[in-house]
Amino acid sequence: MHPNKLGWLLLAPTMLILFLFGVVPFFYVIWVSFHQWNPFAADPSMIFNWASNYRQLVFDAQFMASLGVTLAFVFFAVLSELVIGYLLAQAFMKDFPGKAFFRTIHTLPLIMAPIIVGSIWKLMTTPSIGIIPSLLDSWFGYNLNIGQSAMAAFITTVVMDIWHWTPLVTLSLIAALVSLPADPFEQAQIDGANKRQIFWHITLPMIRPAIIATVFIRLMDAMRTVDEVLMLTGGGPGSATRYVGVHIFKEVFPRTNYGYGSAISVIVLYLTIVVCWLLYVGLIAPRNTKKG
Amino acid sequence: MADVKIKNVIKRYGAVQVMHGVNVDIGHGEFVVLVGPSGCGKSTLLRMLAGLEEVSDGTISIGDRVVNDISPKERDIAMVFQSYALYPHKTVGENIGFPLRMAKRPKEEIDEKVRHAAGILDLTHLLDRYPKQLSGGQRQRVAMGRAIVRDPQVFLFDEPLSNLDAKLRVTMRVEIKELHQRLKTTIVYVTHDQIEAMTMADKIVVMRDGRVEQIGAPLDLYDRPGNVFVAGFIGSPSMNFLRGTIASTGGVKEFVSEAGLRLPVPPTAATEGQAVVYGIRPEHIGVGDNGTPVSVVVVEPTGSETQIFARAGTDLVNAVVKDRVRANPGQQIGFVIDPANVHLFDRQSEQRI
Ligand SMILES: Nc1ncnc2c1ncn2[C@@H]1O[C@H](COP(=O)(O)OP(=O)(O)OP(=O)(O)O)[C@@H](O)[C@H]1O
Ligand SMILES: [Mg+2]
């Protein structure tokens, strides 16, 4: 057999699976988003209604509010994860007693299912039984009640996301730091750079590819956070933590409004791409054009 | 500008000791060249001077401060690494200007100095490139540029010309020498190249296995090598060595090789019967009819000179002569040796007699 044909043959199962479980549903969602479809309504048929789902979206104040809090959530969560992750990665680059142990412990949140993370945090933050409100009360006299305070709920979801995902950032930055060559750093010391200058001029640019990749992964992930938040706050109080994922969930499942839910999903996908593209333009492209 | 004093310096990596009490005194504005076989500790010594490597024992002082515990940044030294150590994400221009930028010099001054250095190093057309878009030789020149834009106390160069072609190497050699004469900055320079060492150095330090074998002016080392190692290391092609003993016929001392070949010796303190190593440089051997008879193995004409490998007794001896010698392998010719050019070393201690 021609080696090329053999290659395709070997790839075929993967491609078939990808096609069945990736491409088909993707286009199906787009297809559905142009319909009015509520399978459990009196009229369960799909009615093609052009772009009216999308038109409706633009005027959906709840959706717009949900987008706003999502962007805030993503911004604060990913930025904090990046900063904390970097500091932890630097700490793990040094030798200290029990380093391997701490590194292992610190990655544990990563292997937990989001639904579990949500449950744990719900337990920990429930007033009068959770440890966090109890500690905050005894230390600062602060009364944490995420069922009542919108700000407290928002911050708690951000902190939960940081707790859950910072280890991922740490791990990928450790990998990047470990693979850095030593001599530019030695040269920079000789060239008279202090610690701060070395960070801005050498370390940061050299691990930039890893940072960008990590931010992209985290960003896309954070944009579609559902289960943890649903578990912890249920999107509330009010709609303070009704992030788009939660919004779609609440739109589709209790109301079985499939067409409208699909339209939201498509728009969110589109927005995610736009955000990534903006980041790309802001972070990667200037360097490439300078090079050219 | 400063003098550098290296006193009893010892370097250990864990349990392995790689530097065994090195002493070197470098005067104000002196150009010192470190030579020695690969792995003898030249780079390690340079890195200790730079502060990148801790000194396990002994002291290093620059000017009148002991710098053992002073960070590289505060030592005011410029260094060119053997591996170039360019900043991969910075252009050639940014690389060269980096030390000035770190010192917060005004932009015009940086631009002007970078331009000037690039001119000297023939890098002007490459200023906007990234290191990965350069050849090895070009990278090396960028590393040089980054050092020469500064005005440090001491320059440290670790084989800065090893990747350049012969022509550029000569140009750069002259350039560095000129830089030294202009700035009068102390320079410590590591090289494998005999010619670089001989032509550039005020003082050569010959090292072996983490020890200093001999320190001296280039011609002193050439004329009076202190031991067999230095004699063999300095000079190219390297010195011929014959093993044998000192004999005396009618009060005149003579060298007798293990194969029984008799060669003249200078007036010497060597005693009769002493086991010695007899050293003679290839360029100090002439060809003549009344010389020691040898049998030609290979003749290599290089144009300006002729290199002859011949068998003297059982030893292979190399001679370099200015004349065009035509001889066929196997032919008998005579090697003429002026006793004044002969070096004698004790066989046991390998020290000069
Ligand atoms: N980090 C290290 N750990 C252990 N041994 C080392 C280390 N760095 C260097 N050495 C050893 O120290 C000795 C001196 O090394 P160094 O790099 O100074 O040699 P060099 O004279 O510069 O050689 P070359 O001419 O090949 O550059 C070598 O035997 C080397 O194996
Ligand atoms: Mg070296």
Side-chain angles (χ1 to χ4, degrees):
Chain A
M1 201 184 291
H2 193 274
N4 216 353
K5 279 189 191 149
L6 180 68
W8 284 114
L9 191 74
L10 291 174
L11 275 176
T14 316
M15 295 190 44
L16 191 71
I17 290 171
L18 264 181
F19 184 75
L20 282 181
F21 294 101
V23 180
V24 170
F26 176 69
F27 285 106
Y28 184 65
V29 166
I30 293 182
W31 171 244
V32 170
S33 74
F34 287 98
H35 292 76
Q36 187 198 323
W37 184 28
N38 190 337
F40 302 103
D43 177 9
S45 58
M46 285 173 80
I47 302 158
F48 189 75
N49 64 354
W50 295 100
S52 65
N53 281 334
Y54 291 95
R55 195 168 47 224
Q56 191 187 339
L57 255 184
V58 182
F59 299 107
D60 181 343
Q62 208 176 16
F63 171 69
M64 287 299 163
S66 143
L67 255 188
V69 285
T70 307
L71 290 179
F73 167 77
V74 168
F75 176 80
F76 287 115
V78 174
L79 188 69
S80 320
E81 282 157 21
L82 198 62
V83 173
I84 301 172
Y86 176 78
L87 293 177
L88 281 174
Q90 277 295 2
F92 282 125
M93 290 297 288
K94 304 201 172 69
D95 270 324
F96 55 87
K99 171 171 143 175
F101 174 76
F102 283 115
R103 205 171 42 196
T104 311
I105 289 288
H106 127 282
T107 55
L108 282 183
L110 273 188
I111 56 173
M112 284 193 204
I115 197 94
I116 312 263
V117 173
S119 317
I120 293 175
W121 276 76
K122 185 165 179 71
L123 260 181
M124 290 200 302
T125 53
T126 306
S128 79
I129 62 164
I131 182 159
I132 297 178
S134 151
L135 284 181
L136 285 178
D137 188 32
S138 61
W139 287 345
F140 307 107
Y142 175 76
N143 176 20
L144 179 83
N145 188 340
I146 61 169
Q148 273 171 8
S149 159
M151 184 51 90
F154 175 79
I155 292 175
T156 308
T157 58
V158 170
V159 171
M160 175 175 66
D161 198 73
I162 293 171
W163 179 83
H164 194 181
W165 292 112
T166 300
L168 178 83
V169 179
T170 312
L171 285 187
S172 72
L173 294 186
I174 287 178
L177 288 172
V178 163
S179 65
L180 288 182
D183 33 348
F185 292 88
E186 297 185 334
Q187 179 70 52
Q189 292 181 52
I190 289 192
D191 286 344
N194 58 31
K195 283 216 163 71
R196 197 174 42 83
Q197 287 170 318
I198 289 180
F199 173 76
W200 287 110
H201 291 277
I202 314 291
T203 316
L204 204 56
M206 287 184 79
I207 59 170
R208 209 169 66 148
I211 292 183
I212 290 172
T214 313
V215 166
F216 274 23
I217 293 173
R218 277 307 304 133
L219 195 107
M220 291 187 274
D221 239 17
M223 290 280 285
R224 54 190 184 113
T225 305
V226 187
D227 22 14
E228 281 164 78
V229 174
L230 204 59
M231 202 63 211
L232 180 66
T233 64
S239 53
T241 56
R242 193 180 170 111
Y243 306 135
V244 280
V246 179
H247 183 66
I248 296 171
F249 180 87
K250 295 201 150 184
E251 200 60 44
V252 173
F253 291 101
R255 297 201 199 160
T256 59
N257 198 349
Y258 284 14
Y260 193 52
S262 300
I264 305 179
S265 306
V266 172
I267 284 294
V268 170
L269 173 69
Y270 172 75
L271 283 175
T272 309
I273 293 172
V274 168
V275 171
C276 286
W277 177 79
L278 284 176
L279 264 186
Y280 175 85
V281 170
L283 291 175
I284 301 180
R287 185 172 143 85
N288 287 348
T289 44
K290 199 169 77 181
K291 218 183 272 185
Chain B
M1 211 192 314
D3 53 350
V4 177
K5 288 198 171 60
I6 302 168
K7 268 212 202 86
N8 293 319
V9 163
I10 287 173
K11 177 68 192 173
R12 286 182 215 99
Y13 287 111
V16 191
Q17 185 163 341
V18 296
M19 199 79 76
H20 315 272
V22 168
N23 285 291
V24 185
D25 260 7
I26 300 168
H28 278 278
E30 221 170 11
F31 196 129
V32 171
V33 172
L34 300 181
V35 295
S38 187
C40 70
K42 306 180 294 288
S43 298
T44 306
L45 188 57
L46 223 53
R47 289 171 58 82
M48 287 196 284
L49 285 176
L52 297 171
E53 209 72 71
E54 239 172 83
V55 179
S56 309
D57 209 342
T59 56
I60 292 179
S61 33
I62 298 177
D64 27 70
R65 343 180 253 182
V66 172
V67 294
N68 283 33
D69 297 319
I70 291 180
S71 74
K73 174 168 115 55
E74 270 131 40
R75 292 194 187 192
D76 196 13
I77 34 148
M79 178 164 177
V80 175
F81 283 68
Q82 198 166 1
S83 55
Y84 326 132
L86 301 184
Y87 306 120
H89 55 283
K90 292 186 183 293
T91 63
V92 168
E94 290 166 348
N95 261 284
I96 297 178
F98 189 74
L100 301 174
R101 191 146 167 235
M102 291 304 102
K104 305 222 162 62
R105 302 288 251 288
K107 193 165 180 327
E108 303 77 58
E109 182 196 331
I110 298 179
D111 284 350
E112 144 70 23
K113 285 195 169 163
V114 167
R115 220 143 267 297
H116 180 72
I120 293 176
L121 297 161
D122 193 14
L123 289 170
T124 311
H125 59 294
L126 302 174
L127 282 177
D128 291 327
R129 293 239 199 129
Y130 283 87
K132 66 166 183 284
Q133 302 164 317
L134 301 178
S135 74
Q138 290 165 336
R139 286 178 206 185
Q140 206 152 41
R141 279 180 281 151
V142 176
M144 280 298 291
R146 197 169 43 187
I148 67 177
V149 289
R150 294 180 54 192
D151 183 16
Q153 297 261 325
V154 183
F155 279 115
L156 304 175
F157 293 120
D158 199 347
E159 308 196 24
L161 309 185
S162 57
N163 275 298
L164 307 186
D165 62 42
K167 188 155 160 265
L168 200 54
R169 196 180 289 207
V170 174
T171 324
M172 287 294 298
R173 207 163 75 205
V174 175
E175 209 55 65
I176 294 175
K177 192 85 190 154
E178 200 269 333
L179 178 86
H180 179 240
Q181 277 156 9
R182 190 155 41 88
L183 299 178
K184 302 262 186 300
T185 308
T186 313
I187 295 183
V188 183
Y189 188 106
V190 171
T191 180
H192 269 117
D193 187 316
Q194 291 283 330
I195 314 280
E196 268 174 41
M198 297 300 282
T199 54
M200 299 171 89
D202 294 323
K203 193 147 94 182
I204 295 181
V205 178
V206 185
M207 293 180 63
R208 173 167 63 158
D209 292 343
R211 288 193 176 78
V212 171
E213 290 286 331
Q214 194 175 356
I215 301 179
L219 291 180
D220 286 348
L221 293 192
Y222 182 86
D223 291 338
R224 289 187 59 79
N227 56 40
V228 173
F229 176 77
V230 176
F233 199 81
I234 299 290
S236 172
S238 66
M239 192 184 275
N240 296 296
F241 293 113
L242 303 166
R243 283 156 195 287
T245 46
I246 296 293
S248 170
T249 32
V252 182
K253 283 182 188 159
E254 238 184 344
F255 168 81
V256 183
S257 83
E258 278 164 352
L261 189 78
R262 285 171 181 275
L263 294 167
V265 297
T268 167
T271 52
E272 196 178 335
Q274 187 175 353
V276 294
V277 175
Y278 182 93
I280 178 77
R281 295 196 183 277
E283 57 272 32
H284 291 152
I285 299 179
V287 173
D289 296 336
N290 52 353
T292 312
V294 293
S295 128
V296 174
V297 178
V298 178
V299 177
E300 295 177 339
T302 61
S304 62
E305 52 195 26
T306 309
Q307 201 162 164
I308 306 166
F309 290 91
R311 207 162 283 289
T314 50
D315 300 291
L316 195 62
V317 175
N318 177 12
V320 174
V321 293
K322 282 280 162 222
D323 319 311
R324 302 265 161 107
V325 177
R326 281 177 216 293
N328 297 320
Q331 193 180 329
Q332 293 281 322
I333 57 170
F335 271 179
V336 182
I337 291 169
D338 178 354
N341 290 325
V342 168
H343 307 265
L344 285 179
F345 305 94
D346 182 68
R347 186 106 71 93
Q348 206 71 53
S349 66
E350 302 214 322
Q351 296 300 311
R352 183 180 193 87
I353 300 171

